[in-house]
Amino acid sequence: MELELESDTKVAIENALQELIDANEKININRVAAKAGFSNALIYNRYPDLAFKINEAKANQKQKKDSIDSACEIERLKKEVAQLKQRTDSSKKNAVSFQKINEDLWEHIQQVYRMYDQILAERNDFAQRLKHYQ
């Protein structure tokens, strides 16, 4: 009779653990014991193999959560990298555009200087001619 009760208790604890796993609820010895209707001391003292199994399930659950968190972080970082690449491409296009504008402005400045030199030469020539007429 005691062996049957022992077996029923162990099965109830195992079922409680499986229910927590299936429901994706947080797993620990206290929660399994409460779900099975027993104290956690019973699991620690009489079923160390189940305590090990529960802790193993808890570690697996944490590893799975960490894996999902890592995958989410990787996806977030991939999106951020894609956005940064777009911004870099846009900045490169702007830089090329600004370089072209800069070249055009430099050419215009050189034209203005040439015009200035030409006007200055005409002014000096005019001043020379004025000097001869006086």
Side-chain angles (χ1 to χ4, degrees):
M1 182 73 168
E2 188 176 314
L3 186 59
E4 190 177 308
L5 183 61
E6 181 95 11
S7 177
D8 289 344
T9 303
K10 188 171 185 173
V11 168
I13 294 169
E14 288 174 335
N15 288 341
L17 172 60
Q18 191 58 51
E19 286 176 24
L20 288 174
I21 291 170
D22 292 344
N24 199 26
E25 292 183 36
K26 186 175 180 180
I27 298 171
N28 60 41
I29 291 178
N30 289 337
R31 291 180 62 97
V32 172
K35 186 145 188 87
F38 301 108
S39 72
N40 59 353
L42 175 77
I43 295 173
Y44 283 115
N45 295 330
R46 291 182 107 191
Y47 304 105
D49 58 320
L50 287 180
F52 178 78
K53 189 175 179 180
I54 292 167
N55 285 328
E56 196 173 60
K58 178 181 177 180
N60 288 341
Q61 188 179 53
K62 182 179 180 338
Q63 184 180 16
K64 183 179 176 183
K65 181 190 176 301
D66 290 347
S67 177
I68 291 169
D69 289 347
S70 293
C72 290
E73 180 67 8
I74 288 169
E75 287 304 311
R76 186 189 69 76
L77 290 172
K78 282 181 180 179
K79 287 178 184 176
E80 188 176 334
V81 166
Q83 289 173 343
L84 290 171
K85 282 182 179 180
Q86 283 179 328
R87 287 173 51 191
T88 299
D89 290 344
S90 176
S91 294
K92 285 179 181 179
K93 288 177 185 175
N94 285 341
V96 168
S97 174
F98 288 142
Q99 185 177 8
K100 174 67 175 135
I101 291 170
N102 199 18
E103 288 170 1
D104 292 346
L105 287 173
W106 184 245
E107 187 176 317
H108 185 72
I109 289 169
Q110 288 175 332
Q111 287 174 347
V112 169
Y113 275 129
R114 282 192 295 271
M115 288 170 45
Y116 173 78
D117 289 343
Q118 185 180 0
I119 291 171
L120 186 61
E122 288 175 7
R123 179 210 158 277
N124 289 342
D125 186 45
F126 184 69
Q128 285 293 336
R129 281 189 286 164
L130 262 176
K131 206 179 200 184
H132 286 297
Y133 288 114
Q134 289 181 355

